[in-house]
Amino acid sequence: GKDVPDLDTLPFDDPDTYKLYSDGDTDGIFQVESSGMRAYLRQLRPTVFEDIIAMLALYRPGPLKSGMVTGFIKRKHGLLQVTYPLPELENCLKDTYGTIVYQEQVMQIAQIVGGYTLGGADLLRRAMGKKDPTAMAAERSKFVDGAVARGVEKSNAGEIFDRMEKFTDDGFNTSHSAAYALISYHTAYLK
């Protein structure tokens, strides 16, 4: 019979696996069996592993309600221009087509734009997760002041903070989503 595939060395560019996702033919595939997820996968037509990671992170009440998922899909297919809140955020946001998807991105933006230390960025991430209004007000002014000190317009800094805050409603970290995506990809490949 056919050799058993070695999942540890499985290539992440198998066209048939992506076709299966794109067709929404995901019965028995980890994390992507729901009808809603299938519909989004058919629209997304994923072509790279990062698309799967992002889709698993985005398929939650916050991003779905806010229209982020549709925006992500349109940007992937060039129907919406991929833009970045600031040019220096391109590196951190290009894999997700300019959309803030992961907790790590929130932390990177805090460092790049707000001048946060890594520890400070982690505290910001936690404050956002807890939705503590007092802590958030303090973080907002810290972020905006830090951004203004770096030459960012005050209003632009406030907008970036709003986007970060909206995102963290139920944000995933990348590794959590990537681990799920790996199992999903493996089950899709085996199917």
Side-chain angles (χ1 to χ4, degrees), residues 40-130:
Y40 279 116
L41 284 170
R42 284 188 202 104
Q43 292 171 36
L44 179 66
R45 301 191 301 282
T47 51
V48 289
F49 187 58
E50 283 76 10
D51 287 346
I52 309 285
I53 301 175
M55 199 61 229
L56 294 184
L58 284 166
Y59 193 74
R60 299 188 321 280
L64 289 166
K65 203 171 57 210
S66 70
M68 257 174 82
V69 182
T70 318
F72 178 87
I73 291 170
K74 285 183 171 164
R75 283 188 190 91
K76 174 178 171 66
H77 295 299
L79 303 170
L80 269 182
Q81 196 187 348
V82 173
T83 56
Y84 303 99
L86 290 170
E88 53 268 41
L89 293 178
E90 178 171 353
N91 259 353
C92 143
L93 295 174
K94 68 171 178 292
D95 276 351
T96 53
Y97 314 110
T99 308
I100 301 172
V101 177
Y102 308 114
Q103 291 175 356
E104 286 87 345
Q105 289 173 317
V106 167
M107 290 171 63
Q108 283 176 299
I109 293 168
Q111 291 174 275
I112 297 165
V113 181
Y116 278 60
T117 62
L118 186 56
D122 193 46
L123 291 173
L124 167 69
R125 176 192 63 77
R126 264 186 272 170
M128 285 183 163
K130 288 199 185 98

Coordinates of all heavy atoms in Angstrom, one line a residue, residues 40-130:
Y40 N -17.1 30.7 5.2 CA -15.9 31.6 5.1 C -14.7 31.0 4.4 O -14.0 31.7 3.7 CB -15.5 32.1 6.5 CG -16.4 33.2 7.1 CD1 -17.2 33.0 8.2 CD2 -16.5 34.4 6.5 CE1 -18.1 34.0 8.7 CE2 -17.3 35.4 6.9 CZ -18.1 35.2 8.0 OH -18.9 36.2 8.5
L41 N -14.5 29.7 4.6 CA -13.4 29.1 3.9 C -13.6 29.1 2.4 O -12.6 29.3 1.6 CB -13.2 27.7 4.4 CG -12.5 27.5 5.7 CD1 -12.7 26.0 6.2 CD2 -11.1 28.0 5.7
R42 N -14.8 29.0 1.9 CA -15.1 29.0 0.5 C -14.8 30.4 -0.1 O -14.3 30.6 -1.2 CB -16.6 28.7 0.2 CG -16.8 27.2 0.3 CD -18.3 26.8 -0.2 NE -18.7 25.6 0.4 CZ -19.5 25.5 1.4 NH1 -20.1 26.5 1.9 NH2 -19.8 24.3 1.9
Q43 N -15.1 31.5 0.8 CA -14.8 32.8 0.3 C -13.3 33.1 0.4 O -12.8 33.8 -0.5 CB -15.5 33.8 1.3 CG -17.0 33.9 1.2 CD -17.6 34.7 2.2 OE1 -17.1 35.8 2.6 NE2 -18.8 34.3 2.8
L44 N -12.7 32.6 1.5 CA -11.3 32.9 1.7 C -10.4 32.2 0.6 O -9.4 32.8 0.2 CB -10.8 32.5 3.1 CG -9.4 32.7 3.5 CD1 -9.0 34.1 3.5 CD2 -9.1 32.0 4.8
R45 N -10.7 31.0 0.3 CA -9.9 30.2 -0.6 C -8.4 30.2 -0.2 O -7.6 30.8 -0.8 CB -10.0 30.6 -2.1 CG -11.5 30.5 -2.6 CD -11.6 30.7 -4.1 NE -11.0 32.0 -4.6 CZ -11.7 33.2 -4.5 NH1 -12.8 33.3 -4.0 NH2 -11.1 34.3 -5.0
P46 N -8.1 29.6 1.0 CA -6.8 29.7 1.6 C -5.7 29.1 0.6 O -6.0 28.1 0.0 CB -6.9 28.9 2.9 CG -8.1 28.1 2.8 CD -9.0 28.8 1.8
T47 N -4.6 29.7 0.6 CA -3.5 29.2 -0.3 C -2.2 29.0 0.5 O -1.3 28.4 0.0 CB -3.2 30.3 -1.4 OG1 -3.0 31.6 -0.8 CG2 -4.3 30.3 -2.4
V48 N -2.1 29.6 1.7 CA -0.9 29.4 2.5 C -1.4 29.0 4.0 O -2.5 29.4 4.4 CB -0.1 30.7 2.6 CG1 0.6 30.9 1.2 CG2 -0.9 31.9 3.0
F49 N -0.5 28.4 4.7 CA -0.8 27.9 6.0 C -1.2 29.1 6.9 O -2.1 29.0 7.8 CB 0.4 27.2 6.6 CG 0.2 26.6 7.9 CD1 -0.8 25.6 8.1 CD2 1.0 26.9 9.0 CE1 -1.1 25.0 9.3 CE2 0.7 26.3 10.3 CZ -0.3 25.3 10.4
E50 N -0.6 30.3 6.7 CA -0.9 31.5 7.5 C -2.4 31.8 7.4 O -3.0 32.3 8.4 CB -0.1 32.7 7.1 CG 1.3 32.7 7.6 CD 2.3 31.7 6.9 OE1 1.8 31.2 5.8 OE2 3.4 31.5 7.4
D51 N -3.0 31.5 6.3 CA -4.4 31.8 6.1 C -5.3 30.9 7.0 O -6.3 31.4 7.5 CB -4.9 31.5 4.6 CG -4.4 32.5 3.6 OD1 -3.9 33.6 4.0 OD2 -4.4 32.2 2.4
I52 N -4.9 29.7 7.2 CA -5.6 28.8 8.1 C -5.5 29.3 9.5 O -6.4 29.3 10.3 CB -5.1 27.3 8.0 CG1 -5.0 26.9 6.5 CG2 -5.9 26.4 8.8 CD1 -6.3 26.5 5.8
I53 N -4.2 29.6 9.9 CA -4.0 30.1 11.3 C -4.9 31.3 11.6 O -5.6 31.3 12.6 CB -2.5 30.5 11.5 CG1 -1.6 29.3 11.2 CG2 -2.3 31.0 12.9 CD1 -0.1 29.7 11.3
A54 N -4.9 32.2 10.6 CA -5.6 33.5 10.8 C -7.1 33.2 10.9 O -7.9 33.7 11.7 CB -5.3 34.5 9.7
M55 N -7.6 32.3 10.0 CA -9.1 32.0 10.0 C -9.5 31.4 11.3 O -10.6 31.8 11.8 CB -9.4 31.1 8.8 CG -10.8 31.1 8.4 SD -11.4 32.7 7.8 CE -12.9 32.8 8.7
L56 N -8.7 30.6 11.9 CA -9.1 30.0 13.2 C -9.2 31.0 14.3 O -10.0 31.0 15.1 CB -8.2 28.8 13.5 CG -8.2 27.6 12.6 CD1 -7.3 26.5 13.2 CD2 -9.6 27.0 12.5
A57 N -8.2 32.0 14.2 CA -8.2 33.1 15.2 C -9.3 34.0 15.0 O -9.9 34.6 15.9 CB -6.9 33.8 15.1
L58 N -9.7 34.2 13.7 CA -10.8 35.2 13.4 C -12.2 34.7 13.6 O -13.1 35.5 13.7 CB -10.6 35.7 11.9 CG -9.5 36.7 11.6 CD1 -9.2 36.7 10.1 CD2 -9.7 38.0 12.2
Y59 N -12.4 33.4 13.5 CA -13.7 32.9 13.6 C -14.2 32.9 15.0 O -14.3 31.9 15.7 CB -13.8 31.5 13.0 CG -15.2 31.0 12.8 CD1 -15.9 31.6 11.7 CD2 -15.8 30.1 13.6 CE1 -17.2 31.2 11.5 CE2 -17.1 29.7 13.4 CZ -17.8 30.2 12.3 OH -19.1 29.9 12.1
R60 N -14.5 34.1 15.5 CA -15.0 34.3 16.9 C -16.0 35.4 16.9 O -15.9 36.3 16.0 CB -13.8 34.6 17.9 CG -12.8 33.5 17.9 CD -11.8 33.7 19.0 NE -11.5 35.2 19.1 CZ -10.6 35.8 18.3 NH1 -10.0 35.1 17.4 NH2 -10.4 37.0 18.4
P61 N -16.8 35.5 17.9 CA -17.9 36.5 17.9 C -17.4 38.0 17.6 O -18.0 38.6 16.7 CB -18.5 36.5 19.3 CG -18.1 35.1 19.8 CD -16.9 34.7 19.1
G62 N -16.3 38.4 18.3 CA -15.9 39.8 18.1 C -15.6 40.1 16.6 O -16.2 41.0 16.0
P63 N -14.6 39.4 16.0 CA -14.2 39.7 14.6 C -15.4 39.5 13.6 O -15.5 40.2 12.7 CB -13.1 38.7 14.4 CG -12.5 38.4 15.7 CD -13.6 38.5 16.7
L64 N -16.2 38.5 13.9 CA -17.3 38.2 13.0 C -18.3 39.4 13.0 O -18.8 39.8 12.0 CB -18.0 36.9 13.4 CG -17.2 35.6 13.1 CD1 -17.8 34.4 13.8 CD2 -17.1 35.3 11.6
K65 N -18.6 39.8 14.2 CA -19.6 40.9 14.4 C -19.1 42.2 13.8 O -19.8 43.0 13.2 CB -19.9 41.1 15.9 CG -21.2 41.7 16.3 CD -21.4 41.6 17.8 CE -20.3 42.2 18.5 NZ -20.0 41.7 19.9
S66 N -17.8 42.5 13.9 CA -17.2 43.7 13.5 C -16.9 43.8 12.0 O -16.5 44.8 11.5 CB -16.0 44.0 14.3 OG -14.9 43.2 13.8
G67 N -17.2 42.7 11.3 CA -16.9 42.7 9.9 C -15.4 42.5 9.5 O -15.0 42.6 8.4
M68 N -14.6 42.2 10.6 CA -13.2 42.0 10.3 C -12.9 40.8 9.4 O -12.0 40.8 8.6 CB -12.5 41.7 11.7 CG -11.7 42.8 12.3 SD -11.2 42.3 13.9 CE -9.7 41.4 13.5
V69 N -13.7 39.8 9.5 CA -13.4 38.5 8.8 C -13.7 38.8 7.3 O -12.8 38.5 6.4 CB -14.4 37.4 9.3 CG1 -14.1 36.1 8.5 CG2 -14.2 37.2 10.8
T70 N -14.8 39.5 7.0 CA -15.0 39.8 5.6 C -13.9 40.7 5.0 O -13.5 40.6 3.9 CB -16.4 40.6 5.5 OG1 -17.3 39.9 6.3 CG2 -17.0 40.5 4.1
G71 N -13.5 41.7 5.8 CA -12.4 42.6 5.4 C -11.1 41.9 5.1 O -10.5 42.1 4.1
F72 N -10.8 40.9 6.0 CA -9.6 40.1 5.8 C -9.7 39.3 4.5 O -8.7 39.3 3.7 CB -9.5 39.1 7.0 CG -8.4 38.1 7.0 CD1 -7.2 38.5 7.5 CD2 -8.5 36.9 6.4 CE1 -6.1 37.6 7.5 CE2 -7.5 36.0 6.4 CZ -6.2 36.3 6.9
I73 N -10.8 38.7 4.2 CA -11.0 37.9 3.0 C -10.9 38.8 1.8 O -10.2 38.5 0.8 CB -12.4 37.2 3.0 CG1 -12.3 36.1 4.1 CG2 -12.7 36.6 1.7 CD1 -13.6 35.4 4.4
K74 N -11.5 40.0 1.8 CA -11.5 40.9 0.7 C -10.0 41.4 0.4 O -9.6 41.6 -0.7 CB -12.4 42.1 0.9 CG -13.9 41.8 0.7 CD -14.8 43.0 0.9 CE -16.2 42.6 0.5 NZ -17.2 43.6 0.9
R75 N -9.3 41.7 1.5 CA -7.9 42.1 1.3 C -7.1 41.0 0.7 O -6.2 41.3 -0.1 CB -7.3 42.5 2.7 CG -7.8 43.9 3.1 CD -7.1 44.4 4.4 NE -7.8 45.6 4.8 CZ -8.8 45.6 5.7 NH1 -9.1 44.4 6.3 NH2 -9.4 46.7 6.0
K76 N -7.3 39.8 1.2 CA -6.5 38.7 0.6 C -6.7 38.6 -0.9 O -5.7 38.4 -1.7 CB -6.9 37.3 1.2 CG -6.2 36.2 0.5 CD -6.5 34.8 1.1 CE -6.0 33.7 0.2 NZ -4.5 33.6 0.1
H77 N -7.9 38.9 -1.4 CA -8.2 38.7 -2.8 C -8.1 40.1 -3.6 O -8.5 40.1 -4.7 CB -9.6 38.1 -3.0 CG -9.6 36.7 -2.5 ND1 -8.8 35.7 -3.0 CD2 -10.3 36.1 -1.5 CE1 -9.0 34.6 -2.3 NE2 -9.9 34.8 -1.4
G78 N -7.5 41.1 -2.9 CA -7.3 42.3 -3.6 C -8.6 43.1 -3.9 O -8.6 44.1 -4.7
L79 N -9.7 42.8 -3.2 CA -10.9 43.5 -3.4 C -10.9 44.8 -2.5 O -11.7 45.7 -2.7 CB -12.1 42.7 -3.1 CG -12.2 41.4 -3.9 CD1 -13.3 40.4 -3.3 CD2 -12.5 41.7 -5.4
L80 N -10.1 44.8 -1.5 CA -9.9 45.9 -0.6 C -8.4 46.1 -0.6 O -7.7 45.1 -0.5 CB -10.4 45.6 0.8 CG -11.8 46.0 1.2 CD1 -12.0 45.6 2.7 CD2 -12.1 47.4 1.0
Q81 N -8.0 47.4 -0.6 CA -6.5 47.6 -0.5 C -6.0 47.2 0.8 O -6.6 47.5 1.8 CB -6.3 49.1 -0.8 CG -4.8 49.4 -1.2 CD -4.6 50.9 -1.3 OE1 -5.5 51.7 -1.3 NE2 -3.3 51.2 -1.3
V82 N -4.8 46.6 0.9 CA -4.2 46.3 2.1 C -3.5 47.6 2.6 O -2.6 48.1 1.9 CB -3.1 45.2 2.0 CG1 -2.3 45.0 3.3 CG2 -3.8 43.9 1.6
T83 N -3.9 48.1 3.7 CA -3.3 49.3 4.2 C -2.8 49.1 5.6 O -3.3 48.1 6.3 CB -4.3 50.5 4.2 OG1 -5.4 50.1 5.0 CG2 -4.7 50.9 2.8
Y84 N -1.9 49.9 6.1 CA -1.4 49.7 7.4 C -1.6 51.0 8.2 O -1.4 52.1 7.6 CB 0.1 49.4 7.4 CG 0.4 48.1 6.6 CD1 0.8 48.2 5.3 CD2 0.1 46.9 7.2 CE1 1.0 47.0 4.5 CE2 0.3 45.7 6.4 CZ 0.7 45.8 5.1 OH 0.9 44.6 4.4
P85 N -1.9 51.0 9.5 CA -2.2 52.2 10.2 C -1.0 53.1 10.2 O -1.1 54.3 10.2 CB -2.4 51.7 11.7 CG -2.7 50.2 11.6 CD -2.1 49.8 10.3
L86 N 0.2 52.6 10.1 CA 1.5 53.3 9.9 C 2.4 52.4 9.1 O 2.4 51.2 9.2 CB 2.1 53.6 11.3 CG 1.5 54.6 12.2 CD1 2.2 54.5 13.6 CD2 1.6 56.0 11.7
P87 N 3.2 53.0 8.2 CA 4.1 52.2 7.4 C 5.0 51.3 8.2 O 5.3 50.2 7.8 CB 5.0 53.3 6.6 CG 4.3 54.6 6.8 CD 3.4 54.5 8.0
E88 N 5.4 51.7 9.4 CA 6.3 50.9 10.2 C 5.6 49.6 10.8 O 6.3 48.8 11.4 CB 7.1 51.6 11.2 CG 6.3 52.5 12.2 CD 6.1 53.9 11.7 OE1 5.8 54.1 10.5 OE2 6.1 54.8 12.6
L89 N 4.3 49.5 10.6 CA 3.6 48.3 11.1 C 3.4 47.3 10.0 O 2.9 46.2 10.2 CB 2.2 48.7 11.6 CG 2.3 49.6 12.9 CD1 0.9 50.0 13.3 CD2 3.0 48.8 14.0
E90 N 4.0 47.5 8.8 CA 3.8 46.6 7.7 C 4.4 45.2 8.0 O 3.7 44.2 7.8 CB 4.4 47.1 6.4 CG 4.3 46.1 5.3 CD 4.7 46.6 3.9 OE1 5.0 47.8 3.8 OE2 4.8 45.8 3.0
N91 N 5.6 45.2 8.6 CA 6.2 43.9 8.9 C 5.4 43.1 9.8 O 5.2 41.9 9.7 CB 7.6 44.1 9.6 CG 8.7 43.9 8.6 OD1 8.5 43.5 7.5 ND2 9.9 44.3 9.0
C92 N 4.8 43.7 10.8 CA 4.0 43.0 11.9 C 2.7 42.6 11.4 O 2.1 41.6 11.9 CB 4.0 44.0 13.1 SG 2.6 44.1 14.1
L93 N 2.1 43.3 10.4 CA 0.7 43.0 9.9 C 0.6 42.4 8.5 O -0.5 42.2 8.1 CB -0.1 44.3 10.0 CG -0.3 44.9 11.4 CD1 -1.0 46.2 11.4 CD2 -1.1 43.9 12.3
K94 N 1.7 42.2 7.8 CA 1.6 41.8 6.4 C 1.0 40.4 6.2 O 0.3 40.2 5.3 CB 2.9 42.1 5.6 CG 4.0 41.2 5.9 CD 5.1 41.4 4.8 CE 6.4 40.6 5.1 NZ 7.1 41.0 6.3
D95 N 1.4 39.5 7.1 CA 0.8 38.1 7.0 C -0.7 38.1 7.2 O -1.3 37.1 6.8 CB 1.5 37.2 8.1 CG 2.8 36.6 7.6 OD1 3.2 36.8 6.5 OD2 3.5 36.0 8.5
T96 N -1.2 39.1 7.8 CA -2.7 39.1 8.1 C -3.3 40.2 7.3 O -4.4 40.7 7.6 CB -3.0 39.2 9.6 OG1 -2.3 40.4 10.1 CG2 -2.6 38.0 10.3
Y97 N -2.7 40.6 6.2 CA -3.2 41.6 5.2 C -3.6 42.9 5.9 O -4.7 43.5 5.6 CB -4.4 41.0 4.4 CG -4.1 39.6 3.9 CD1 -4.7 38.5 4.4 CD2 -3.2 39.4 2.9 CE1 -4.4 37.2 3.9 CE2 -2.9 38.2 2.4 CZ -3.5 37.1 2.9 OH -3.2 35.8 2.5
G98 N -2.8 43.4 6.9 CA -3.1 44.6 7.5 C -4.1 44.6 8.6 O -4.4 45.6 9.2
T99 N -4.6 43.4 8.9 CA -5.6 43.2 10.0 C -4.9 42.8 11.3 O -4.1 41.9 11.3 CB -6.7 42.1 9.6 OG1 -7.2 42.4 8.3 CG2 -7.8 42.0 10.6
I100 N -5.3 43.4 12.4 CA -4.8 42.9 13.7 C -5.6 41.6 14.1 O -6.8 41.7 14.3 CB -5.0 44.0 14.8 CG1 -4.3 45.3 14.4 CG2 -4.5 43.5 16.2 CD1 -4.6 46.4 15.4
V101 N -4.9 40.5 14.2 CA -5.5 39.2 14.4 C -5.1 38.6 15.7 O -5.8 38.0 16.4 CB -5.2 38.2 13.3 CG1 -5.9 36.9 13.5 CG2 -5.8 38.8 11.9
Y102 N -3.8 38.8 16.1 CA -3.2 38.1 17.2 C -2.8 39.0 18.4 O -2.4 40.2 18.2 CB -2.0 37.3 16.8 CG -2.3 36.4 15.6 CD1 -1.6 36.6 14.4 CD2 -3.1 35.3 15.7 CE1 -1.9 35.8 13.3 CE2 -3.4 34.5 14.6 CZ -2.7 34.7 13.4 OH -3.0 33.9 12.4
Q103 N -2.8 38.4 19.6 CA -2.3 39.2 20.8 C -0.9 39.7 20.6 O -0.5 40.8 21.0 CB -2.3 38.3 22.0 CG -3.8 38.0 22.5 CD -3.8 37.0 23.6 OE1 -2.8 36.5 24.0 NE2 -5.0 36.7 24.1
E104 N 0.0 38.9 19.9 CA 1.4 39.3 19.7 C 1.4 40.6 18.9 O 2.3 41.4 19.1 CB 2.2 38.2 19.0 CG 2.6 37.0 19.8 CD 1.5 36.0 19.9 OE1 0.3 36.2 19.5 OE2 1.8 34.8 20.3
Q105 N 0.5 40.7 17.9 CA 0.5 41.9 17.1 C 0.2 43.1 17.9 O 0.7 44.2 17.7 CB -0.5 41.7 15.9 CG 0.0 40.7 14.9 CD -1.0 40.4 13.8 OE1 -2.2 40.3 14.1 NE2 -0.6 40.4 12.6
V106 N -0.8 42.9 18.8 CA -1.1 44.0 19.8 C 0.1 44.5 20.5 O 0.4 45.6 20.7 CB -2.3 43.6 20.7 CG1 -2.4 44.6 21.9 CG2 -3.6 43.5 19.9
M107 N 0.9 43.5 21.0 CA 2.0 43.7 21.8 C 3.1 44.4 20.9 O 3.8 45.4 21.4 CB 2.6 42.5 22.5 CG 1.7 42.0 23.6 SD 2.1 40.3 24.2 CE 3.7 40.7 24.9
Q108 N 3.3 43.9 19.7 CA 4.3 44.6 18.8 C 3.9 46.0 18.5 O 4.8 46.9 18.5 CB 4.4 43.8 17.5 CG 5.2 42.5 17.6 CD 5.2 41.7 16.3 OE1 4.1 41.3 15.8 NE2 6.3 41.6 15.7
I109 N 2.6 46.3 18.3 CA 2.2 47.6 18.0 C 2.5 48.5 19.2 O 2.9 49.7 19.0 CB 0.7 47.6 17.5 CG1 0.5 46.9 16.2 CG2 0.2 49.1 17.4 CD1 -0.9 46.6 15.8
A110 N 2.2 48.0 20.4 CA 2.5 48.8 21.6 C 3.9 49.2 21.6 O 4.3 50.3 22.0 CB 2.0 48.0 22.8
Q111 N 4.8 48.3 21.3 CA 6.2 48.5 21.3 C 6.7 49.5 20.2 O 7.4 50.5 20.4 CB 7.0 47.2 21.2 CG 6.9 46.3 22.4 CD 7.6 45.0 22.2 OE1 7.0 44.1 21.6 NE2 8.8 44.9 22.6
I112 N 6.2 49.2 19.0 CA 6.6 50.0 17.8 C 6.0 51.4 17.8 O 6.7 52.4 17.6 CB 6.2 49.3 16.5 CG1 6.9 48.0 16.3 CG2 6.5 50.2 15.3 CD1 6.3 47.1 15.3
V113 N 4.7 51.5 18.2 CA 4.1 52.8 18.1 C 4.1 53.6 19.4 O 4.4 54.8 19.5 CB 2.6 52.7 17.6 CG1 1.9 54.0 17.6 CG2 2.5 52.0 16.3
G114 N 3.9 52.8 20.5 CA 3.7 53.5 21.8 C 5.0 53.5 22.6 O 5.1 54.0 23.7
G115 N 6.1 52.8 22.1 CA 7.3 52.8 22.8 C 7.4 52.0 24.1 O 8.2 52.2 25.0
Y116 N 6.4 51.0 24.1 CA 6.4 50.1 25.3 C 7.6 49.2 25.3 O 8.1 48.8 24.3 CB 5.1 49.3 25.2 CG 3.8 49.9 25.6 CD1 3.3 51.0 25.0 CD2 3.1 49.3 26.6 CE1 2.1 51.6 25.4 CE2 1.9 49.9 27.0 CZ 1.4 51.0 26.4 OH 0.2 51.6 26.8
T117 N 7.9 48.8 26.6 CA 8.8 47.6 26.7 C 8.0 46.4 26.4 O 6.8 46.4 26.4 CB 9.4 47.6 28.1 OG1 8.3 47.3 29.0 CG2 10.1 48.8 28.5
L118 N 8.7 45.2 26.3 CA 8.0 44.0 26.1 C 7.1 43.7 27.3 O 6.0 43.3 27.2 CB 9.0 42.9 25.9 CG 8.4 41.5 25.5 CD1 7.5 41.6 24.3 CD2 9.5 40.5 25.3
G119 N 7.7 43.9 28.5 CA 6.9 43.7 29.7 C 5.7 44.6 29.8 O 4.6 44.2 30.2
G120 N 5.9 45.9 29.4 CA 4.8 46.8 29.4 C 3.7 46.4 28.4 O 2.5 46.5 28.7
A121 N 4.1 45.9 27.3 CA 3.2 45.5 26.2 C 2.4 44.3 26.7 O 1.2 44.2 26.4 CB 3.9 45.1 24.9
D122 N 3.0 43.4 27.5 CA 2.3 42.3 28.0 C 1.2 42.7 29.1 O 0.1 42.2 29.1 CB 3.3 41.3 28.7 CG 2.6 39.9 28.9 OD1 1.9 39.4 28.0 OD2 2.7 39.4 30.0
L123 N 1.6 43.7 29.9 CA 0.6 44.2 30.8 C -0.6 44.9 30.1 O -1.7 44.7 30.5 CB 1.3 45.3 31.7 CG 2.3 44.7 32.7 CD1 3.0 45.8 33.5 CD2 1.7 43.8 33.7
L124 N -0.3 45.6 29.0 CA -1.3 46.2 28.2 C -2.3 45.0 27.7 O -3.5 45.2 27.7 CB -0.7 46.9 27.0 CG -1.7 47.4 25.9 CD1 -2.7 48.4 26.4 CD2 -1.0 47.9 24.7
R125 N -1.7 44.0 27.1 CA -2.4 42.9 26.6 C -3.4 42.3 27.7 O -4.5 42.1 27.5 CB -1.5 41.8 26.1 CG -2.2 40.5 25.6 CD -1.2 39.4 25.4 NE -0.5 38.9 26.7 CZ -1.1 38.2 27.6 NH1 -2.4 37.8 27.5 NH2 -0.4 37.8 28.7
R126 N -2.8 42.2 28.9 CA -3.6 41.7 30.0 C -4.8 42.6 30.4 O -5.9 42.2 30.7 CB -2.8 41.3 31.2 CG -2.4 39.9 31.2 CD -1.6 39.5 32.5 NE -0.2 39.7 32.3 CZ 0.7 39.7 33.2 NH1 0.3 39.4 34.5 NH2 2.0 39.9 32.9
A127 N -4.4 43.9 30.5 CA -5.5 44.9 30.8 C -6.6 44.9 29.8 O -7.8 44.9 30.1 CB -4.8 46.3 30.9
M128 N -6.2 44.7 28.5 CA -7.3 44.6 27.5 C -8.1 43.4 27.6 O -9.3 43.5 27.4 CB -6.6 44.6 26.1 CG -6.1 46.0 25.7 SD -5.4 46.0 24.0 CE -5.3 47.8 23.7
G129 N -7.5 42.3 28.0 CA -8.2 41.1 28.2 C -9.2 41.1 29.3 O -10.3 40.6 29.3
K130 N -8.8 41.9 30.4 CA -9.7 42.0 31.6 C -10.8 43.0 31.4 O -11.7 43.1 32.2 CB -8.9 42.3 32.8 CG -8.0 41.2 33.3 CD -7.6 41.5 34.7 CE -6.6 40.4 35.2 NZ -5.2 40.9 35.1

